[in-house]
Amino acid sequence: MWCLYGNEIIKQTAEIGVHYLKNERHLNEETYVTIETQNERIKRTEDNVYIQKKDKNSNKYIPISYPEVEIENTILPTSVKDFFLFKGEFLDSFFENQNKNFLKDTVLNVSQITKLQKVIEILNNLENKYRKEIAKADRKSAELIKVQREIEEFGETIKILKERIIKLDGKLFTYKTEIKQIEGILVDKNVRQLTELLTEEKQLKGQKESLIADKNGIREEIKEKFVNELSFWFLFEVAKNFKKTLNKMEESGKIPPPATPSLIHKILEEKKCICGNSVNVQMKARLEMLLQNLSRDSTKYDELYRINLTLSIDINEFQLISKKIQSLLGKQSEKEQELTQTVKRLEEISEKIKGVSESDAPKLQVQKETLESEISKLEAEKVEVLSDLATNEKNKMYYEILFTKEVDRSGKNEFLVKKLEVINVFRTKINNISIKILNKIVEELNNNTKAYFKDIFWDNYKYMNYDIKINENLNLEVSSPRGSDMLPLLSTGEKKVLALSFISALSDFYGFDFPIIIDSPFTALQKEIIENVLKTLMKLATKKQVIIFTIRYEDKIMNQLIKNASIVYNLEKDKNDNTILKKVK
Amino acid sequence: MIFDNAPRDIKIDKTNKDKFRFFAHKFDKDEKEIFLLAMKVGLFYDTRIPIKEVQSLAQLSTFSKDDTENMMIIAFSEIKDMNKIFNGKEVIKICEEYANGGIRKLYKLFVEEGANKDDTRIIEDIIERIKLSME
């Protein structure tokens, strides 16, 4: 898939069939793209587009020039053009503040209402012109000239006042949006509550650290007991048999072993009896006496005797260790529960305060108060301006009536007077038509944008009660059932889908069939959201031609994309390292 | 020294060296202590595996009297003759092979099967298993 950005020179007759696209670097380092067809070549550099035609005789390409078609404002208004050729990476900022008037302009342009407004302007100018002519023609009536001038001046003043109101509305909208954002940060418009939350957050963070440390301590203790104390009990069965055998040996007299010279020597050397007791002076003397009478050697049964004395396989010991570990496990569970609750509460607080520190809160509060004060001033100014406007309109009307009376009284210039009447009638009708068209467009845009968006996210309960609407300023709003502004809270992917839904809805009003061309529509999106954006594009493609540029994603997504596309091109490198366009489908 | 003909070193299988290191870190013990644990686990779960690639772990002389007594108890389960349980070569071989099997069993319990479980819960399960074996 490919797209040319910037100024295009369009051939006015048949379509251009693309056979070969090449990315070349010239000797002078200029890089350009060429598209070659059977008889023509279009060369696109960074700054310009050239068209060359193949000469039948020489077979060489010679440049041709086409009359420059004023694309903007004639075939495709600038603001609307930007709806067809845009970068997918910035789709999610479609509804940002800087784009608010852009959307309004686009709706008005697409609906051609701006043309109707131009007609009204033309009618107003004609009206002034005819009045001037009437006033000029009737030279005797200085009053008429004066009245006509008054009408003109009031008309100018009204125009200026209306423009002022638009500017004031713009500022008010901006300030109110900023206040909403600040209020979103300042919980319940109460700095004190925010401070309390911040304090609680600090305490809970400390508590969390402490709980984690306790939990880890308990875990280490359990592991320690497992290795040191519990591990012996793996040998329970064999140790039992071992002990049993030793007891039998003791019963049969094999242990303790009979005294032998080596045994006695050993005891005297170690100064310890085989039972473990130390050898005192008396015992030593007796042993030395015994040694003189002994002849046989031991066979390590002394060791076995000692082992039998010390080896304990009391199952109660196991029960005790097991209970200790169970108790530790219980404590661990309690700490884990407490930790879970602490973390949950921390998340709730974080969500409410959204990273605002204690020092930020008073600043934001001051900022908010400043904005509120500005809004009051602007609203007061707006009231004054509206009052001025009403006065001026009233005055203009008065002079218009006066003019008509003067003209009627003089009885001259009947033809021009009739023209004035016709202008008035037309103007009223066109105004009414504009209003009807706008209301109809807004209603349909509302419904279709909502339908597209909800169609994608229908299964997700989060979106089911969202209200999506276009307000009186022709800006898109997304609100919760409680009326909270949800637009800033939508994720990147959700905003992209919303933007595409709006574009899809807008496409129904085009008077001409233009494709929608998007570069990188899936940038910075998670896999699930890519699938949703893909669904939206596929829906859009049932109504409009959609051309997208994209990098390669995982097979599941690419397969879906290729399956649903009519034409697919893949950019590859050839053996000379030039980029070539290969048709995949 | 309690044993006759005992080898100087206690050996493990080279291919399991990383497992000994892993558990030494996990339980905050040295590899010698893990060896002792592994041989007991190997006996309990009846998994005795001959060593293929020999590597020394520690000198036998560094083990305590209690440790060597446990080795004797383990060896007795195979030898079943009190006269022969002082044969260091045989006793140590049996313990090494049980440790070889035991370390793999520990790895299976704590890493492969217990990947999503806390260590303390795995220990809890082991205790239950020991209790059952005593009944």
Side-chain angles (χ1 to χ4, degrees):
Chain A
M1 296 171 195
W2 56 273
C3 171
L4 295 178
Y5 289 108
N7 294 324
E8 288 183 66
I9 297 172
I10 297 176
K11 195 176 167 197
Q12 292 193 3
T13 51
E15 305 149 35
I16 298 169
V18 173
H19 289 275
Y20 194 74
L21 180 107
K22 205 153 104 173
N23 207 23
E24 290 178 20
R25 181 165 290 159
H26 202 260
L27 285 171
N28 66 1
E29 292 301 304
E30 188 192 6
T31 308
Y32 49 84
V33 171
T34 54
I35 303 160
E36 283 181 13
T37 67
Q38 207 169 1
N39 299 312
E40 282 184 340
R41 182 162 68 188
I42 300 172
K43 184 171 152 183
R44 167 85 164 96
T45 66
E46 209 174 300
D47 303 317
N48 229 323
V49 179
Y50 306 93
I51 296 184
Q52 296 166 330
K53 194 167 180 174
K54 214 176 200 175
D55 184 58
K56 284 176 191 171
N57 298 323
S58 64
N59 235 22
K60 285 184 181 172
Y61 285 104
I62 49 173
I64 53 171
S65 61
Y66 281 93
E68 271 196 40
V69 178
E70 194 193 18
I71 296 166
E72 293 169 10
N73 302 319
T74 303
I75 294 177
L76 195 59
T78 314
S79 58
V80 179
K81 182 189 88 171
D82 287 342
F83 272 81
F84 300 98
L85 308 169
F86 53 90
K87 295 188 179 183
E89 297 105 318
F90 303 121
L91 262 180
D92 52 298
S93 61
F94 206 69
F95 305 108
E96 298 293 305
N97 270 335
Q98 67 271 19
N99 291 332
K100 292 286 181 194
N101 287 328
F102 163 65
L103 288 171
K104 183 177 173 178
D105 288 344
T106 303
V107 172
L108 292 175
N109 274 319
V110 163
S111 62
Q112 309 287 317
I113 287 176
T114 44
K115 289 210 159 96
L116 290 175
Q117 285 166 352
K118 276 192 178 156
V119 168
I120 291 174
E121 254 183 68
I122 292 168
L123 287 172
N124 289 339
N125 291 339
L126 272 176
E127 193 182 45
N128 282 334
K129 182 185 163 191
Y130 292 151
R131 284 204 189 104
K132 265 186 188 162
E133 281 177 18
I134 291 169
K136 226 173 162 179
D138 194 346
R139 284 179 193 143
K140 286 183 188 171
S141 176
E143 185 65 20
L144 213 54
I145 296 169
K146 188 184 159 195
V147 168
Q148 181 269 324
R149 275 201 196 122
E150 290 286 347
I151 292 169
E152 245 185 89
E153 279 173 21
F154 280 125
E156 281 302 314
T157 309
I158 286 165
K159 198 175 164 188
I160 291 167
L161 289 171
K162 280 185 177 173
E163 280 168 6
R164 230 171 114 195
I165 287 170
I166 290 171
K167 278 187 184 159
L168 284 169
D169 279 341
K171 272 189 185 171
L172 281 165
F173 180 83
T174 306
Y175 290 162
K176 282 179 182 173
T177 309
E178 279 181 40
I179 285 180
K180 264 192 194 169
Q181 285 170 354
I182 292 171
E183 281 175 353
I185 298 168
L186 293 175
V187 178
D188 292 341
K189 303 157 207 167
N190 187 333
V191 176
R192 193 167 60 88
Q193 193 172 356
L194 177 64
T195 310
E196 282 170 8
L197 280 171
L198 285 166
T199 309
E200 192 188 345
E201 189 195 31
K202 212 172 168 181
Q203 282 169 353
L204 285 172
K205 276 182 177 169
Q207 194 175 313
K208 182 182 164 189
E209 297 294 325
S210 173
L211 284 167
I212 290 172
D214 286 347
K215 202 181 109 167
N216 285 342
I218 292 169
R219 284 175 83 233
E220 294 313 308
E221 208 181 327
I222 291 171
K223 283 184 197 176
E224 177 77 25
K225 286 197 182 311
F226 171 68
V227 175
N228 289 347
E229 296 174 43
L230 193 82
S231 60
F232 172 76
W233 298 96
F234 286 120
L235 308 179
F236 175 70
E237 280 300 322
V238 295
K240 231 171 51 177
N241 292 334
F242 189 77
K243 180 90 179 167
K244 210 169 155 183
T245 308
L246 286 173
N247 286 338
K248 274 187 183 162
M249 284 174 79
E250 199 173 331
E251 281 163 19
S252 64
K254 279 190 179 166
I255 58 172
T260 58
S262 59
L263 180 62
I264 305 288
H265 278 299
K266 188 179 164 190
I267 291 168
L268 287 168
E269 220 174 277
E270 288 176 6
K271 291 178 186 161
K272 210 184 228 184
C273 179
I274 59 170
C275 68
N277 287 324
S278 303
V279 170
N280 61 24
V281 172
Q282 287 100 347
M283 276 172 74
K284 187 181 169 195
R286 287 187 79 171
L287 283 168
E288 277 168 352
M289 226 164 68
L290 190 60
L291 190 61
Q292 286 165 12
N293 298 321
L294 286 177
S295 55
R296 280 183 297 165
D297 259 330
S298 72
T299 52
K300 299 232 182 194
Y301 284 171
D302 52 332
E303 285 293 338
L304 292 175
Y305 178 66
R306 188 190 56 75
I307 291 169
N308 198 29
L309 286 173
T310 55
L311 183 62
S312 168
I313 313 169
D314 185 357
I315 204 164
N316 292 322
E317 279 180 38
F318 170 74
Q319 305 286 17
L320 198 65
I321 295 163
S322 161
K323 263 188 193 158
K324 276 186 196 169
I325 292 178
Q326 288 294 351
S327 163
L328 286 169
L329 285 165
K331 277 186 191 165
Q332 186 186 271
S333 293
E334 281 170 19
K335 295 286 175 190
E336 276 168 357
Q337 261 182 358
E338 228 181 299
L339 186 61
T340 305
Q341 281 164 4
T342 306
V343 165
K344 195 178 169 190
R345 179 66 189 143
L346 270 169
E347 279 168 6
E348 280 169 12
I349 293 172
S350 282
E351 188 54 38
K352 282 183 181 177
I353 62 178
K354 285 180 190 166
V356 176
S357 73
E358 222 161 306
S359 57
D360 286 345
K363 280 185 210 166
L364 286 169
Q365 185 65 18
V366 165
Q367 212 176 321
K368 189 188 147 201
E369 282 161 11
T370 309
L371 285 168
E372 279 170 345
S373 161
E374 284 300 310
I375 286 171
S376 299
K377 284 182 195 164
L378 287 172
E379 278 175 344
E381 193 184 329
K382 189 178 169 185
V383 165
E384 267 185 51
V385 171
L386 281 169
S387 168
D388 275 348
L389 180 67
T391 308
N392 276 281
E393 279 173 341
K394 204 172 157 187
N395 289 337
K396 185 177 175 234
M397 214 184 306
Y398 167 76
Y399 280 103
E400 280 169 351
I401 295 169
L402 196 63
F403 187 89
T404 312
K405 274 186 184 165
E406 278 291 319
V407 165
D408 282 347
R409 194 180 58 76
S410 75
K412 294 176 187 171
N413 300 303
E414 220 176 287
F415 180 64
L416 283 170
V417 167
K418 275 238 169 341
K419 278 191 175 180
L420 280 178
E421 281 171 16
V422 165
I423 284 171
N424 213 19
V425 166
F426 272 163
R427 190 169 42 213
T428 310
K429 280 196 191 289
I430 289 168
N431 255 334
N432 292 340
I433 291 168
S434 292
I435 291 167
K436 273 189 186 164
I437 292 173
L438 194 60
N439 288 343
K440 182 84 181 147
I441 289 171
V442 167
E443 191 190 327
E444 290 202 27
L445 270 177
N446 250 344
N447 295 338
N448 292 347
T449 306
K450 221 188 283 197
Y452 271 110
F453 185 77
K454 288 195 170 181
D455 201 20
I456 300 295
F457 292 115
W458 189 249
D459 291 334
N460 189 325
Y461 74 93
K462 179 182 163 189
Y463 306 100
M464 281 178 73
N465 293 323
Y466 278 17
D467 189 27
I468 298 166
K469 71 167 190 178
I470 295 168
N471 65 20
E472 62 277 3
N473 291 320
L474 296 175
N475 292 320
L476 197 80
E477 288 179 347
V478 180
S479 49
S480 70
R482 284 188 189 178
S484 309
D485 180 14
M486 303 311 291
L487 191 53
L489 301 179
L490 295 181
S491 69
T492 305
E494 289 159 357
K495 281 183 190 168
K496 282 196 187 202
V497 172
L498 186 64
L500 286 171
S501 303
F502 181 78
I503 291 161
S504 308
L506 196 65
S507 70
D508 292 337
F509 296 99
Y510 304 154
F512 33 75
D513 198 10
F514 257 86
I516 288 179
I517 304 169
I518 313 172
D519 179 25
S520 313
F522 309 122
T523 308
L525 295 180
Q526 292 171 333
K527 191 184 129 196
E528 300 77 25
I529 304 297
I530 289 177
E531 287 173 5
N532 284 331
V533 173
L534 188 56
K535 257 193 245 176
T536 312
L537 288 170
M538 291 192 304
K539 259 189 181 295
L540 193 56
T542 59
K543 289 190 173 192
K544 308 289 301 168
Q545 184 177 32
V546 174
I547 300 173
I548 66 170
F549 284 86
T550 180
I551 57 168
R552 192 168 182 85
Y553 285 91
E554 60 170 64
D555 284 347
K556 188 184 170 190
I557 290 165
M558 293 315 296
N559 290 342
Q560 221 177 335
L561 199 55
I562 292 168
K563 187 182 167 192
N564 287 283
S566 314
I567 300 174
V568 181
Y569 281 88
N570 190 27
L571 283 168
E572 291 178 1
K573 292 277 188 191
D574 67 10
K575 56 185 177 187
N576 298 323
D577 206 34
N578 291 315
T579 305
I580 57 165
L581 198 67
K582 203 172 175 185
K583 195 169 183 179
V584 172
K585 187 180 176 186
Chain B
M1 173 64 77
I2 193 170
F3 294 123
D4 302 321
N5 307 318
R8 192 191 71 160
D9 296 337
I10 295 288
K11 294 177 202 65
I12 59 169
D13 198 317
K14 200 176 179 182
T15 55
N16 288 326
K17 174 74 178 167
D18 57 334
K19 294 183 179 71
F20 279 94
R21 198 177 292 145
F22 172 79
F23 282 104
H25 176 73
K26 183 181 260 304
F27 292 116
D28 194 26
K29 297 286 174 194
D30 60 40
E31 288 176 14
K32 207 176 75 180
E33 288 166 291
I34 300 301
F35 174 88
L36 293 166
L37 172 66
M39 72 179 188
K40 291 168 193 169
V41 167
L43 177 79
F44 182 74
Y45 286 96
D46 193 21
T47 167
R48 181 181 165 185
I49 301 172
I51 294 174
K52 284 182 184 165
E53 278 182 70
V54 168
Q55 183 170 353
S56 288
L57 180 78
Q59 287 193 18
L60 183 59
S61 56
T62 60
F63 287 75
S64 69
K65 239 181 181 165
D66 286 341
D67 297 336
T68 50
E69 278 171 21
N70 287 332
M71 287 181 189
M72 284 170 70
I73 292 170
I74 288 170
F76 180 75
S77 69
E78 298 277 326
I79 298 169
K80 295 183 179 17
D81 184 344
M82 283 297 184
N83 289 314
K84 290 182 183 172
I85 59 164
F86 294 100
N87 183 341
K89 201 174 171 183
E90 210 177 330
V91 168
I92 299 304
K93 182 173 180 274
I94 292 168
C95 291
E96 283 169 350
E97 288 176 359
Y98 270 122
N100 201 26
I103 197 72
R104 291 183 196 197
K105 182 66 184 175
L106 276 170
Y107 195 79
K108 197 174 176 187
L109 287 170
F110 280 88
V111 177
E112 289 166 11
E113 289 169 5
N116 296 322
K117 245 176 164 177
D118 193 67
D119 291 343
T120 53
R121 299 298 159 190
I122 298 170
I123 291 169
E124 195 179 9
D125 293 341
I126 293 171
I127 293 173
E128 286 308 307
R129 183 79 202 268
I130 296 174
K131 274 186 191 167
L132 279 171
S133 73
M134 288 177 176
E135 283 166 11

